[in-house]
Amino acid sequence: FVAPVASEFIDTRGTDGLYRRYRYVAIGDRGFSRSVRISPAWESRRETRVINDATLAEDQAYLAAADPNHDALQRARRALGLDVVAFDYGYDRGGGLVVFEPNPLPNFWDSSGGDAYTRYQYPLFDAIYGELLAYYLRRAGSTSRAGDEVDNDCRTGLRS
């Protein structure tokens, strides 16, 4: 073996038999609950996503709240030495956090293909991109008022 790789399958199915892939986006010390994708397949993809009133309500509830793993995922971000990262994660049968991957090049946009059922996420995209811009301006040492305005918009929450 020139470059062996080991992996472990950890069952993250919920009691309903479905898998949940949560995505948390960290931009510096700020964090965003980005999405929860619910699927009958262990590798959750757009094509296998279960879309109904209950799963959309679960996604909306996740987006509306602070991620329950914010502190742990921020510690991981700092340990990895990353400024921006998206963590995909789930929970094992005992409720333990299982990180599937830290993604340093995540997408922040609508990966549903523009389906009408995900439009409730659009204000979140604005907030994430606004925070990303404000973060880069702060890191660049910008004294621009535009950076302050973007930063203030992000702090006040999601805009409609």
Side-chain angles (χ1 to χ4, degrees), residues 24-55:
Y24 167 84
V25 174
I27 301 172
D29 292 332
R30 296 239 17 239
F32 296 86
S33 301
R34 167 59 185 90
S35 65
V36 58
R37 185 173 286 170
I38 302 170
S39 173
W42 68 268
E43 185 180 18
S44 176
R45 296 280 182 204
R46 176 177 178 237
E47 299 79 26
T48 64
R49 184 176 180 185
V50 174
I51 301 185
N52 59 40
D53 290 343
T55 60

PDB file of all heavy atoms in Angstrom, residues 24-55:
ATOM      1  N   TYR A  24     -22.609  23.349   9.658  1.00  0.00           N
ATOM      2  CA  TYR A  24     -22.328  24.538  10.456  1.00  0.00           C
ATOM      3  C   TYR A  24     -21.202  25.275   9.751  1.00  0.00           C
ATOM      4  O   TYR A  24     -20.170  24.679   9.426  1.00  0.00           O
ATOM      5  CB  TYR A  24     -21.897  24.113  11.870  1.00  0.00           C
ATOM      6  CG  TYR A  24     -21.287  25.215  12.690  1.00  0.00           C
ATOM      7  CD1 TYR A  24     -22.085  26.109  13.396  1.00  0.00           C
ATOM      8  CD2 TYR A  24     -19.906  25.354  12.769  1.00  0.00           C
ATOM      9  CE1 TYR A  24     -21.514  27.115  14.161  1.00  0.00           C
ATOM     10  CE2 TYR A  24     -19.334  26.360  13.534  1.00  0.00           C
ATOM     11  CZ  TYR A  24     -20.141  27.235  14.226  1.00  0.00           C
ATOM     12  OH  TYR A  24     -19.575  28.227  14.980  1.00  0.00           O
ATOM     13  N   VAL A  25     -21.390  26.560   9.509  1.00  0.00           N
ATOM     14  CA  VAL A  25     -20.382  27.379   8.841  1.00  0.00           C
ATOM     15  C   VAL A  25     -19.729  28.288   9.871  1.00  0.00           C
ATOM     16  O   VAL A  25     -20.421  29.021  10.589  1.00  0.00           O
ATOM     17  CB  VAL A  25     -21.007  28.232   7.715  1.00  0.00           C
ATOM     18  CG1 VAL A  25     -19.983  29.191   7.121  1.00  0.00           C
ATOM     19  CG2 VAL A  25     -21.595  27.330   6.632  1.00  0.00           C
ATOM     20  N   ALA A  26     -18.408  28.236   9.956  1.00  0.00           N
ATOM     21  CA  ALA A  26     -17.638  29.097  10.845  1.00  0.00           C
ATOM     22  C   ALA A  26     -16.865  30.098  10.003  1.00  0.00           C
ATOM     23  O   ALA A  26     -16.179  29.722   9.052  1.00  0.00           O
ATOM     24  CB  ALA A  26     -16.666  28.271  11.688  1.00  0.00           C
ATOM     25  N   ILE A  27     -17.032  31.367  10.353  1.00  0.00           N
ATOM     26  CA  ILE A  27     -16.263  32.450   9.739  1.00  0.00           C
ATOM     27  C   ILE A  27     -15.632  33.189  10.905  1.00  0.00           C
ATOM     28  O   ILE A  27     -16.305  33.941  11.611  1.00  0.00           O
ATOM     29  CB  ILE A  27     -17.154  33.376   8.892  1.00  0.00           C
ATOM     30  CG1 ILE A  27     -17.852  32.574   7.785  1.00  0.00           C
ATOM     31  CG2 ILE A  27     -16.334  34.536   8.318  1.00  0.00           C
ATOM     32  CD1 ILE A  27     -18.905  33.359   7.018  1.00  0.00           C
ATOM     33  N   GLY A  28     -14.363  32.919  11.133  1.00  0.00           N
ATOM     34  CA  GLY A  28     -13.747  33.425  12.351  1.00  0.00           C
ATOM     35  C   GLY A  28     -14.502  32.849  13.538  1.00  0.00           C
ATOM     36  O   GLY A  28     -14.873  31.670  13.532  1.00  0.00           O
ATOM     37  N   ASP A  29     -14.764  33.670  14.518  1.00  0.00           N
ATOM     38  CA  ASP A  29     -15.459  33.207  15.715  1.00  0.00           C
ATOM     39  C   ASP A  29     -16.972  33.195  15.567  1.00  0.00           C
ATOM     40  O   ASP A  29     -17.676  32.761  16.478  1.00  0.00           O
ATOM     41  CB  ASP A  29     -15.080  34.082  16.919  1.00  0.00           C
ATOM     42  CG  ASP A  29     -13.629  33.888  17.326  1.00  0.00           C
ATOM     43  OD1 ASP A  29     -13.087  32.788  17.094  1.00  0.00           O
ATOM     44  OD2 ASP A  29     -13.033  34.841  17.871  1.00  0.00           O
ATOM     45  N   ARG A  30     -17.487  33.659  14.447  1.00  0.00           N
ATOM     46  CA  ARG A  30     -18.939  33.640  14.200  1.00  0.00           C
ATOM     47  C   ARG A  30     -19.317  32.324  13.572  1.00  0.00           C
ATOM     48  O   ARG A  30     -18.551  31.736  12.818  1.00  0.00           O
ATOM     49  CB  ARG A  30     -19.349  34.773  13.256  1.00  0.00           C
ATOM     50  CG  ARG A  30     -19.090  36.121  13.841  1.00  0.00           C
ATOM     51  CD  ARG A  30     -20.237  37.090  14.013  1.00  0.00           C
ATOM     52  NE  ARG A  30     -21.581  36.644  13.977  1.00  0.00           N
ATOM     53  CZ  ARG A  30     -22.493  37.080  13.102  1.00  0.00           C
ATOM     54  NH1 ARG A  30     -22.183  37.946  12.171  1.00  0.00           N
ATOM     55  NH2 ARG A  30     -23.730  36.666  13.170  1.00  0.00           N
ATOM     56  N   GLY A  31     -20.512  31.878  13.865  1.00  0.00           N
ATOM     57  CA  GLY A  31     -20.978  30.619  13.307  1.00  0.00           C
ATOM     58  C   GLY A  31     -22.412  30.722  12.835  1.00  0.00           C
ATOM     59  O   GLY A  31     -23.201  31.517  13.360  1.00  0.00           O
ATOM     60  N   PHE A  32     -22.735  29.930  11.832  1.00  0.00           N
ATOM     61  CA  PHE A  32     -24.066  29.908  11.247  1.00  0.00           C
ATOM     62  C   PHE A  32     -24.547  28.467  11.142  1.00  0.00           C
ATOM     63  O   PHE A  32     -23.822  27.608  10.627  1.00  0.00           O
ATOM     64  CB  PHE A  32     -24.055  30.515   9.836  1.00  0.00           C
ATOM     65  CG  PHE A  32     -23.699  31.965   9.793  1.00  0.00           C
ATOM     66  CD1 PHE A  32     -22.370  32.353   9.741  1.00  0.00           C
ATOM     67  CD2 PHE A  32     -24.679  32.938   9.805  1.00  0.00           C
ATOM     68  CE1 PHE A  32     -22.026  33.695   9.697  1.00  0.00           C
ATOM     69  CE2 PHE A  32     -24.342  34.281   9.767  1.00  0.00           C
ATOM     70  CZ  PHE A  32     -23.015  34.665   9.704  1.00  0.00           C
ATOM     71  N   SER A  33     -25.761  28.231  11.586  1.00  0.00           N
ATOM     72  CA  SER A  33     -26.428  26.957  11.317  1.00  0.00           C
ATOM     73  C   SER A  33     -26.878  27.035   9.866  1.00  0.00           C
ATOM     74  O   SER A  33     -27.751  27.826   9.524  1.00  0.00           O
ATOM     75  CB  SER A  33     -27.636  26.789  12.239  1.00  0.00           C
ATOM     76  OG  SER A  33     -27.260  26.839  13.584  1.00  0.00           O
ATOM     77  N   ARG A  34     -26.265  26.261   8.987  1.00  0.00           N
ATOM     78  CA  ARG A  34     -26.478  26.414   7.541  1.00  0.00           C
ATOM     79  C   ARG A  34     -27.590  25.528   6.992  1.00  0.00           C
ATOM     80  O   ARG A  34     -28.379  25.945   6.171  1.00  0.00           O
ATOM     81  CB  ARG A  34     -25.150  26.155   6.822  1.00  0.00           C
ATOM     82  CG  ARG A  34     -25.197  25.955   5.336  1.00  0.00           C
ATOM     83  CD  ARG A  34     -25.784  27.150   4.605  1.00  0.00           C
ATOM     84  NE  ARG A  34     -25.911  26.869   3.204  1.00  0.00           N
ATOM     85  CZ  ARG A  34     -26.979  26.329   2.625  1.00  0.00           C
ATOM     86  NH1 ARG A  34     -28.024  25.983   3.325  1.00  0.00           N
ATOM     87  NH2 ARG A  34     -27.012  26.130   1.330  1.00  0.00           N
ATOM     88  N   SER A  35     -27.658  24.264   7.414  1.00  0.00           N
ATOM     89  CA  SER A  35     -28.716  23.389   6.899  1.00  0.00           C
ATOM     90  C   SER A  35     -28.690  22.059   7.624  1.00  0.00           C
ATOM     91  O   SER A  35     -27.681  21.684   8.219  1.00  0.00           O
ATOM     92  CB  SER A  35     -28.541  23.134   5.394  1.00  0.00           C
ATOM     93  OG  SER A  35     -27.342  22.416   5.142  1.00  0.00           O
ATOM     94  N   VAL A  36     -29.809  21.382   7.559  1.00  0.00           N
ATOM     95  CA  VAL A  36     -29.858  19.972   7.933  1.00  0.00           C
ATOM     96  C   VAL A  36     -30.514  19.260   6.763  1.00  0.00           C
ATOM     97  O   VAL A  36     -31.599  19.623   6.323  1.00  0.00           O
ATOM     98  CB  VAL A  36     -30.601  19.711   9.272  1.00  0.00           C
ATOM     99  CG1 VAL A  36     -32.017  20.224   9.255  1.00  0.00           C
ATOM    100  CG2 VAL A  36     -30.588  18.233   9.601  1.00  0.00           C
ATOM    101  N   ARG A  37     -29.787  18.308   6.216  1.00  0.00           N
ATOM    102  CA  ARG A  37     -30.294  17.530   5.082  1.00  0.00           C
ATOM    103  C   ARG A  37     -30.661  16.157   5.617  1.00  0.00           C
ATOM    104  O   ARG A  37     -29.840  15.487   6.246  1.00  0.00           O
ATOM    105  CB  ARG A  37     -29.244  17.425   3.991  1.00  0.00           C
ATOM    106  CG  ARG A  37     -29.768  16.727   2.757  1.00  0.00           C
ATOM    107  CD  ARG A  37     -28.786  16.774   1.636  1.00  0.00           C
ATOM    108  NE  ARG A  37     -28.755  18.128   1.077  1.00  0.00           N
ATOM    109  CZ  ARG A  37     -27.847  18.535   0.208  1.00  0.00           C
ATOM    110  NH1 ARG A  37     -26.904  17.727  -0.174  1.00  0.00           N
ATOM    111  NH2 ARG A  37     -27.888  19.748  -0.277  1.00  0.00           N
ATOM    112  N   ILE A  38     -31.868  15.741   5.352  1.00  0.00           N
ATOM    113  CA  ILE A  38     -32.396  14.484   5.869  1.00  0.00           C
ATOM    114  C   ILE A  38     -32.598  13.531   4.702  1.00  0.00           C
ATOM    115  O   ILE A  38     -33.187  13.890   3.685  1.00  0.00           O
ATOM    116  CB  ILE A  38     -33.714  14.740   6.626  1.00  0.00           C
ATOM    117  CG1 ILE A  38     -33.459  15.740   7.762  1.00  0.00           C
ATOM    118  CG2 ILE A  38     -34.303  13.439   7.141  1.00  0.00           C
ATOM    119  CD1 ILE A  38     -34.705  16.269   8.433  1.00  0.00           C
ATOM    120  N   SER A  39     -32.082  12.304   4.864  1.00  0.00           N
ATOM    121  CA  SER A  39     -32.044  11.368   3.750  1.00  0.00           C
ATOM    122  C   SER A  39     -32.135   9.921   4.244  1.00  0.00           C
ATOM    123  O   SER A  39     -31.665   9.615   5.342  1.00  0.00           O
ATOM    124  CB  SER A  39     -30.722  11.563   2.992  1.00  0.00           C
ATOM    125  OG  SER A  39     -30.546  10.584   2.002  1.00  0.00           O
ATOM    126  N   PRO A  40     -32.678   9.032   3.422  1.00  0.00           N
ATOM    127  CA  PRO A  40     -32.632   7.608   3.769  1.00  0.00           C
ATOM    128  C   PRO A  40     -31.256   6.997   3.485  1.00  0.00           C
ATOM    129  O   PRO A  40     -30.970   5.888   3.928  1.00  0.00           O
ATOM    130  CB  PRO A  40     -33.709   6.984   2.876  1.00  0.00           C
ATOM    131  CG  PRO A  40     -33.787   7.885   1.686  1.00  0.00           C
ATOM    132  CD  PRO A  40     -33.471   9.269   2.212  1.00  0.00           C
ATOM    133  N   ALA A  41     -30.406   7.721   2.769  1.00  0.00           N
ATOM    134  CA  ALA A  41     -29.077   7.232   2.406  1.00  0.00           C
ATOM    135  C   ALA A  41     -28.034   7.797   3.367  1.00  0.00           C
ATOM    136  O   ALA A  41     -28.124   8.949   3.778  1.00  0.00           O
ATOM    137  CB  ALA A  41     -28.727   7.652   0.975  1.00  0.00           C
ATOM    138  N   TRP A  42     -27.033   6.993   3.709  1.00  0.00           N
ATOM    139  CA  TRP A  42     -26.007   7.455   4.649  1.00  0.00           C
ATOM    140  C   TRP A  42     -25.210   8.622   4.082  1.00  0.00           C
ATOM    141  O   TRP A  42     -24.728   9.474   4.814  1.00  0.00           O
ATOM    142  CB  TRP A  42     -25.077   6.317   5.068  1.00  0.00           C
ATOM    143  CG  TRP A  42     -24.183   5.802   3.982  1.00  0.00           C
ATOM    144  CD1 TRP A  42     -24.451   4.767   3.144  1.00  0.00           C
ATOM    145  CD2 TRP A  42     -22.897   6.296   3.622  1.00  0.00           C
ATOM    146  NE1 TRP A  42     -23.415   4.586   2.266  1.00  0.00           N
ATOM    147  CE2 TRP A  42     -22.431   5.517   2.545  1.00  0.00           C
ATOM    148  CE3 TRP A  42     -22.088   7.318   4.101  1.00  0.00           C
ATOM    149  CZ2 TRP A  42     -21.210   5.721   1.932  1.00  0.00           C
ATOM    150  CZ3 TRP A  42     -20.857   7.524   3.488  1.00  0.00           C
ATOM    151  CH2 TRP A  42     -20.428   6.734   2.427  1.00  0.00           C
ATOM    152  N   GLU A  43     -25.029   8.669   2.765  1.00  0.00           N
ATOM    153  CA  GLU A  43     -24.371   9.805   2.124  1.00  0.00           C
ATOM    154  C   GLU A  43     -25.465  10.715   1.576  1.00  0.00           C
ATOM    155  O   GLU A  43     -26.008  10.480   0.503  1.00  0.00           O
ATOM    156  CB  GLU A  43     -23.440   9.347   1.005  1.00  0.00           C
ATOM    157  CG  GLU A  43     -22.653  10.475   0.413  1.00  0.00           C
ATOM    158  CD  GLU A  43     -21.726  10.045  -0.702  1.00  0.00           C
ATOM    159  OE1 GLU A  43     -21.912   8.948  -1.261  1.00  0.00           O
ATOM    160  OE2 GLU A  43     -20.812  10.809  -1.015  1.00  0.00           O
ATOM    161  N   SER A  44     -25.767  11.727   2.337  1.00  0.00           N
ATOM    162  CA  SER A  44     -26.875  12.613   2.003  1.00  0.00           C
ATOM    163  C   SER A  44     -26.510  13.501   0.820  1.00  0.00           C
ATOM    164  O   SER A  44     -25.529  14.228   0.856  1.00  0.00           O
ATOM    165  CB  SER A  44     -27.207  13.470   3.219  1.00  0.00           C
ATOM    166  OG  SER A  44     -28.201  14.398   2.898  1.00  0.00           O
ATOM    167  N   ARG A  45     -27.319  13.407  -0.203  1.00  0.00           N
ATOM    168  CA  ARG A  45     -27.139  14.223  -1.409  1.00  0.00           C
ATOM    169  C   ARG A  45     -28.462  14.880  -1.755  1.00  0.00           C
ATOM    170  O   ARG A  45     -29.521  14.448  -1.302  1.00  0.00           O
ATOM    171  CB  ARG A  45     -26.672  13.363  -2.593  1.00  0.00           C
ATOM    172  CG  ARG A  45     -25.326  12.728  -2.419  1.00  0.00           C
ATOM    173  CD  ARG A  45     -24.271  13.734  -2.711  1.00  0.00           C
ATOM    174  NE  ARG A  45     -22.947  13.133  -2.591  1.00  0.00           N
ATOM    175  CZ  ARG A  45     -21.879  13.830  -2.341  1.00  0.00           C
ATOM    176  NH1 ARG A  45     -21.941  15.113  -2.195  1.00  0.00           N
ATOM    177  NH2 ARG A  45     -20.714  13.234  -2.241  1.00  0.00           N
ATOM    178  N   ARG A  46     -28.399  15.873  -2.597  1.00  0.00           N
ATOM    179  CA  ARG A  46     -29.615  16.559  -3.052  1.00  0.00           C
ATOM    180  C   ARG A  46     -30.621  15.563  -3.615  1.00  0.00           C
ATOM    181  O   ARG A  46     -31.817  15.650  -3.351  1.00  0.00           O
ATOM    182  CB  ARG A  46     -29.247  17.610  -4.095  1.00  0.00           C
ATOM    183  CG  ARG A  46     -30.432  18.305  -4.683  1.00  0.00           C
ATOM    184  CD  ARG A  46     -30.000  19.392  -5.670  1.00  0.00           C
ATOM    185  NE  ARG A  46     -31.198  19.978  -6.219  1.00  0.00           N
ATOM    186  CZ  ARG A  46     -31.454  20.019  -7.505  1.00  0.00           C
ATOM    187  NH1 ARG A  46     -30.596  19.546  -8.380  1.00  0.00           N
ATOM    188  NH2 ARG A  46     -32.568  20.567  -7.931  1.00  0.00           N
ATOM    189  N   GLU A  47     -30.128  14.606  -4.366  1.00  0.00           N
ATOM    190  CA  GLU A  47     -31.005  13.657  -5.040  1.00  0.00           C
ATOM    191  C   GLU A  47     -31.722  12.708  -4.082  1.00  0.00           C
ATOM    192  O   GLU A  47     -32.748  12.135  -4.429  1.00  0.00           O
ATOM    193  CB  GLU A  47     -30.202  12.821  -6.053  1.00  0.00           C
ATOM    194  CG  GLU A  47     -29.549  13.641  -7.150  1.00  0.00           C
ATOM    195  CD  GLU A  47     -28.263  14.346  -6.711  1.00  0.00           C
ATOM    196  OE1 GLU A  47     -27.587  13.872  -5.768  1.00  0.00           O
ATOM    197  OE2 GLU A  47     -27.953  15.396  -7.292  1.00  0.00           O
ATOM    198  N   THR A  48     -31.163  12.514  -2.884  1.00  0.00           N
ATOM    199  CA  THR A  48     -31.767  11.570  -1.942  1.00  0.00           C
ATOM    200  C   THR A  48     -32.464  12.279  -0.779  1.00  0.00           C
ATOM    201  O   THR A  48     -32.990  11.608   0.117  1.00  0.00           O
ATOM    202  CB  THR A  48     -30.702  10.614  -1.367  1.00  0.00           C
ATOM    203  OG1 THR A  48     -29.747  11.352  -0.603  1.00  0.00           O
ATOM    204  CG2 THR A  48     -30.025   9.832  -2.474  1.00  0.00           C
ATOM    205  N   ARG A  49     -32.483  13.582  -0.802  1.00  0.00           N
ATOM    206  CA  ARG A  49     -33.070  14.352   0.303  1.00  0.00           C
ATOM    207  C   ARG A  49     -34.571  14.095   0.405  1.00  0.00           C
ATOM    208  O   ARG A  49     -35.287  14.092  -0.600  1.00  0.00           O
ATOM    209  CB  ARG A  49     -32.818  15.838   0.071  1.00  0.00           C
ATOM    210  CG  ARG A  49     -33.303  16.707   1.199  1.00  0.00           C
ATOM    211  CD  ARG A  49     -32.947  18.158   0.964  1.00  0.00           C
ATOM    212  NE  ARG A  49     -33.438  18.960   2.083  1.00  0.00           N
ATOM    213  CZ  ARG A  49     -33.377  20.263   2.136  1.00  0.00           C
ATOM    214  NH1 ARG A  49     -32.827  20.938   1.143  1.00  0.00           N
ATOM    215  NH2 ARG A  49     -33.844  20.898   3.173  1.00  0.00           N
ATOM    216  N   VAL A  50     -35.035  13.887   1.626  1.00  0.00           N
ATOM    217  CA  VAL A  50     -36.461  13.730   1.884  1.00  0.00           C
ATOM    218  C   VAL A  50     -37.037  15.123   2.072  1.00  0.00           C
ATOM    219  O   VAL A  50     -36.583  15.882   2.937  1.00  0.00           O
ATOM    220  CB  VAL A  50     -36.718  12.878   3.151  1.00  0.00           C
ATOM    221  CG1 VAL A  50     -38.202  12.849   3.487  1.00  0.00           C
ATOM    222  CG2 VAL A  50     -36.161  11.477   2.978  1.00  0.00           C
ATOM    223  N   ILE A  51     -38.033  15.452   1.254  1.00  0.00           N
ATOM    224  CA  ILE A  51     -38.621  16.778   1.315  1.00  0.00           C
ATOM    225  C   ILE A  51     -40.110  16.640   1.594  1.00  0.00           C
ATOM    226  O   ILE A  51     -40.868  16.117   0.777  1.00  0.00           O
ATOM    227  CB  ILE A  51     -38.391  17.544   0.004  1.00  0.00           C
ATOM    228  CG1 ILE A  51     -36.904  17.637  -0.225  1.00  0.00           C
ATOM    229  CG2 ILE A  51     -39.094  18.886   0.036  1.00  0.00           C
ATOM    230  CD1 ILE A  51     -36.429  18.414  -1.359  1.00  0.00           C
ATOM    231  N   ASN A  52     -40.477  17.071   2.786  1.00  0.00           N
ATOM    232  CA  ASN A  52     -41.882  17.117   3.171  1.00  0.00           C
ATOM    233  C   ASN A  52     -42.026  18.199   4.235  1.00  0.00           C
ATOM    234  O   ASN A  52     -41.042  18.827   4.624  1.00  0.00           O
ATOM    235  CB  ASN A  52     -42.382  15.741   3.644  1.00  0.00           C
ATOM    236  CG  ASN A  52     -41.599  15.203   4.822  1.00  0.00           C
ATOM    237  OD1 ASN A  52     -41.234  15.940   5.742  1.00  0.00           O
ATOM    238  ND2 ASN A  52     -41.318  13.893   4.803  1.00  0.00           N
ATOM    239  N   ASP A  53     -43.223  18.417   4.692  1.00  0.00           N
ATOM    240  CA  ASP A  53     -43.447  19.496   5.668  1.00  0.00           C
ATOM    241  C   ASP A  53     -42.598  19.311   6.928  1.00  0.00           C
ATOM    242  O   ASP A  53     -42.036  20.269   7.461  1.00  0.00           O
ATOM    243  CB  ASP A  53     -44.930  19.585   6.038  1.00  0.00           C
ATOM    244  CG  ASP A  53     -45.786  20.114   4.890  1.00  0.00           C
ATOM    245  OD1 ASP A  53     -45.228  20.707   3.938  1.00  0.00           O
ATOM    246  OD2 ASP A  53     -47.020  19.934   4.951  1.00  0.00           O
ATOM    247  N   ALA A  54     -42.491  18.080   7.398  1.00  0.00           N
ATOM    248  CA  ALA A  54     -41.749  17.816   8.642  1.00  0.00           C
ATOM    249  C   ALA A  54     -40.254  18.078   8.475  1.00  0.00           C
ATOM    250  O   ALA A  54     -39.628  18.695   9.348  1.00  0.00           O
ATOM    251  CB  ALA A  54     -41.984  16.386   9.110  1.00  0.00           C
ATOM    252  N   THR A  55     -39.659  17.627   7.364  1.00  0.00           N
ATOM    253  CA  THR A  55     -38.214  17.814   7.188  1.00  0.00           C
ATOM    254  C   THR A  55     -37.875  19.281   6.919  1.00  0.00           C
ATOM    255  O   THR A  55     -36.844  19.768   7.375  1.00  0.00           O
ATOM    256  CB  THR A  55     -37.650  16.916   6.068  1.00  0.00           C
ATOM    257  OG1 THR A  55     -38.298  17.243   4.829  1.00  0.00           O
ATOM    258  CG2 THR A  55     -37.848  15.444   6.399  1.00  0.00           C
TER     259      THR A  55
END
